[in-house]
Amino acid sequence: MEFNTELYFQTAKPILNKGALFHDDAIDYIVPYEPDPYSEVTIKFRTSKSNVDYVYIIINNESQLMEKGETIGDFDYYEYTFNLSNELVRYYFEITSGNVKAYYDILGVEKRPNPDFSFKLRPGYKTPDWVKGAVMYQIYVDRFYNGDKTNDVETGEYFYIGDKTIRVEEWDRYPQAMDVREFYGGDLQGVIDKLDYLEDLGIEANTTYRIMIISIRISVKSLTTEENCYRTDKTKTALPQNILTELPIRKT
């Protein structure tokens, strides 16, 4: 039997366009958005037009075939509708195109499934009105602004992971591999000094400024343990317990 090259190229599917695969746990891909418990919800997934054979949604470890709902421009949109309970829903996607199989979770396109990175849908959750459209600013205190040079961490003042801390003089240089031992001098007074600056950026007055404060002297300022962090004289140090209540963050 003679191989029909022309027919092959007319009927063969193109290579899986991984860049077109998309889902977001937002209003365009979850209908209705923020559904109530025991209600019906439709979850959508996008692919390149006529590019895949099957799309499955794996919900709480159970695989369900999705149906092509509509085609808009260069994209196909697959859908699956089901009834919710009152429990958290975890899901990800499996896409098949010829002999190629891919998975899609919160990290994007994956070669193999990893349920640990599933999307999550919590029936009954409602986004607070004050959050919608709000401009937020997360402050990394040590790298934000030095408002009080008298409390700067000096080179060699502390030990962390077997070596001494370093006081950084040049704020615009690239971080080092062990950047957690380096201190730029930002502090709470620097945050207070820059409240007008934050307001000028468009940060809403009623938006919480998320400031990471801990009781140890490492520059990450997001850990909550005192393990392996000592002064050179081996005396542990801690911030005052009421430090957050003393910070005058303005609210409406």
Side-chain angles (χ1 to χ4, degrees), residues 127-160:
T127 304
D129 289 338
W130 67 268
V131 174
K132 298 175 181 178
V135 180
M136 298 187 181
Y137 193 109
Q138 179 172 320
I139 296 175
Y140 187 174
V141 178
D142 182 67
R143 311 297 165 86
F144 184 66
Y145 184 72
N146 191 342
D148 183 1
K149 295 184 182 297
T150 64
N151 63 17
D152 288 359
V153 175
E154 301 294 339
T155 298
E157 184 176 351
Y158 293 88
F159 277 101
Y160 183 63

Side-chain angles (χ1 to χ4, degrees), residues 27-46:
I27 193 169
D28 291 332
Y29 291 88
I30 298 178
V31 183
Y33 185 57
E34 297 181 345
D36 294 324
Y38 309 107
S39 65
E40 187 177 83
V41 65
T42 298
I43 294 181
K44 299 183 178 183
F45 187 82
R46 190 190 75 185

Side-chain angles (χ1 to χ4, degrees), residues 16-23 29 45-49 51-52 74-77 104 109:
L16 177 61
N17 183 356
K18 295 181 179 180
L21 304 180
F22 186 76
H23 171 79
Y29 291 88
F45 187 82
R46 190 190 75 185
T47 72
S48 183
K49 182 179 178 180
N51 185 234
V52 307
D74 295 329
F75 301 107
D76 290 333
Y77 291 85
Y104 196 94
V109 181

Side-chain angles (χ1 to χ4, degrees), residues 19-221:
L21 304 180
F22 186 76
H23 171 79
D24 190 6
D25 50 356
I27 193 169
D28 291 332
Y29 291 88
I30 298 178
V31 183
Y33 185 57
E34 297 181 345
D36 294 324
Y38 309 107
S39 65
E40 187 177 83
V41 65
T42 298
I43 294 181
K44 299 183 178 183
F45 187 82
R46 190 190 75 185
T47 72
S48 183
K49 182 179 178 180
S50 303
N51 185 234
V52 307
D53 296 314
Y54 307 103
V55 178
Y56 291 89
I57 181 171
I58 292 80
I59 303 174
N60 295 337
N61 297 321
E62 293 187 4
S63 180
Q64 306 291 344
L65 180 65
M66 304 184 75
E67 296 183 355
K68 186 187 296 186
E70 59 182 349
T71 299
I72 302 177
D74 295 329
F75 301 107
D76 290 333
Y77 291 85
Y78 287 78
E79 303 177 351
Y80 181 72
T81 301
F82 62 104
N83 291 316
L84 295 167
S85 67
N86 196 30
E87 301 297 323
L88 177 70
V89 176
R90 301 173 185 270
Y91 65 94
Y92 61 94
F93 302 91
E94 177 185 298
I95 305 96
T96 300
S97 179
N99 295 325
V100 178
K101 185 174 291 186
Y103 299 87
Y104 196 94
D105 55 29
I106 61 173
L107 298 182
V109 181
E110 302 285 350
K111 293 182 179 179
R112 55 188 60 87
N114 190 339
D116 290 339
F117 296 104
S118 297
F119 291 94
K120 297 178 182 179
L121 175 61
R122 188 177 299 278
Y125 174 80
K126 304 297 180 184
T127 304
D129 289 338
W130 67 268
V131 174
K132 298 175 181 178
V135 180
M136 298 187 181
Y137 193 109
Q138 179 172 320
I139 296 175
Y140 187 174
V141 178
D142 182 67
R143 311 297 165 86
F144 184 66
Y145 184 72
N146 191 342
D148 183 1
K149 295 184 182 297
T150 64
N151 63 17
D152 288 359
V153 175
E154 301 294 339
T155 298
E157 184 176 351
Y158 293 88
F159 277 101
Y160 183 63
I161 314 181
D163 208 343
K164 297 179 180 180
T165 56
I166 298 173
R167 178 180 178 180
V168 177
E169 302 291 346
E170 300 177 15
W171 278 52
D172 57 351
R173 72 169 178 77
Y174 287 108
Q176 302 300 311
M178 277 302 293
D179 190 53
V180 294
R181 288 197 290 257
E182 299 187 346
F183 288 81
Y184 287 66
D187 46 40
L188 292 178
Q189 186 58 51
V191 176
I192 295 171
D193 292 346
K194 291 296 183 178
L195 289 178
D196 289 336
Y197 162 76
L198 293 172
E199 191 171 8
D200 290 342
L201 287 178
I203 310 299
E204 281 82 351
N206 65 343
T207 300
T208 301
Y209 301 131
R210 184 181 178 186
I211 306 168
M212 296 183 289
I213 304 297
I214 60 169
S215 59
I216 61 175
R217 291 286 189 163
I218 63 173
S219 64
V220 174
K221 292 186 170 67

